[in-house]
Amino acid sequence: MRVLFVCLGNICRSPTAEGVLRHKLREAGLHGRIEVDSAGTGDWHVGKTPDRRTRLAAQRRGYELDALRARQVSPQDFASFDLILAMDASNLQHLERLRPSQGKAELDLFLRRYRLALDEVPDPYYGGEDGFERVLDLIEQACDALLVELEGRL
Ligand code: 4NP
């Protein structure tokens, strides 16, 4: 089972989701059975570590993102992954256009899939510190629901 999180830059929201889910999978003893990755629809930050504000906010909650490096999503990802989860509607639209006709991956909007208070994870890049905390709050809630789904699918 392979899960891919996608946002715009792959330096704020999707690496946060990758780090949080990895942490929860380890705690649940499932890290050997489910693979997790993240990517961006854009290529501006390819090869970079997550945004410093993202890394610090994550670290304060016990998530380590320093080893992650940004990459751009590719049509091949639709063959390699089972589930691709977009952070906002614009990311989802981009992925729908990129999707090859024979791509096997299921594609969905991350928060909407689990009926959280919002459908989209707001982009924190141009905002203040509280935006990064909000991203973590939403992603932690959605990852709890995703973990329940993944446990049921194994
Ligand atoms: P992300 O946030 O999509 O959550 O990684 C952003 C990162 C960078 C930019 C926009 C959003 N940017 O415009 O460079």
Side-chain angles (χ1 to χ4, degrees), residues 31-44:
H31 51 293
R33 302 182 62 192
I34 294 164
E35 285 183 42
V36 191
D37 196 6
S38 65
T41 58
D43 66 358
W44 314 284

Side-chain angles (χ1 to χ4, degrees), residues 2-140:
R2 302 192 76 208
V3 180
L4 178 68
F5 294 107
V6 176
C7 62
L8 177 60
N10 194 211
I11 55 168
C12 297
R13 294 164 294 173
S14 63
T16 297
E18 179 180 350
V20 170
L21 186 62
R22 280 185 190 281
H23 185 92
K24 290 183 183 292
L25 287 170
R26 252 194 320 275
E27 281 182 343
L30 294 175
H31 51 293
R33 302 182 62 192
I34 294 164
E35 285 183 42
V36 191
D37 196 6
S38 65
T41 58
D43 66 358
W44 314 284
H45 302 285
V46 167
K48 300 220 186 98
T49 52
D51 184 280
R52 184 169 171 278
R53 298 162 296 174
T54 292
R55 282 185 280 125
L56 291 177
Q59 237 164 36
R60 286 195 291 269
R61 296 195 194 190
Y63 308 113
E64 192 47 69
L65 308 185
D66 289 7
L68 303 183
R69 296 293 179 273
R71 73 169 179 91
Q72 190 174 26
V73 70
S74 86
Q76 177 59 33
D77 287 319
F78 287 87
S80 322
F81 288 88
D82 302 289
L83 183 57
I84 299 181
L85 295 167
M87 295 294 141
D88 66 32
S90 149
N91 309 147
L92 183 66
Q93 209 174 46
H94 182 109
L95 289 164
E96 278 161 354
R97 286 196 301 267
L98 191 70
R99 171 182 214 137
S101 52
Q102 71 281 20
K104 70 160 181 179
E106 186 186 353
L107 180 59
D108 210 343
L109 199 51
F110 187 32
L111 302 189
R112 191 179 61 191
R113 184 176 184 85
Y114 302 108
R115 298 188 172 76
L116 296 200
L118 297 181
D119 278 351
E120 306 179 89
V121 184
D123 184 344
Y125 192 69
Y126 292 108
E129 287 299 322
D130 55 332
F132 293 85
E133 297 299 329
R134 182 81 176 122
V135 164
L136 275 160
D137 291 342
L138 291 165
I139 284 175
E140 283 180 330

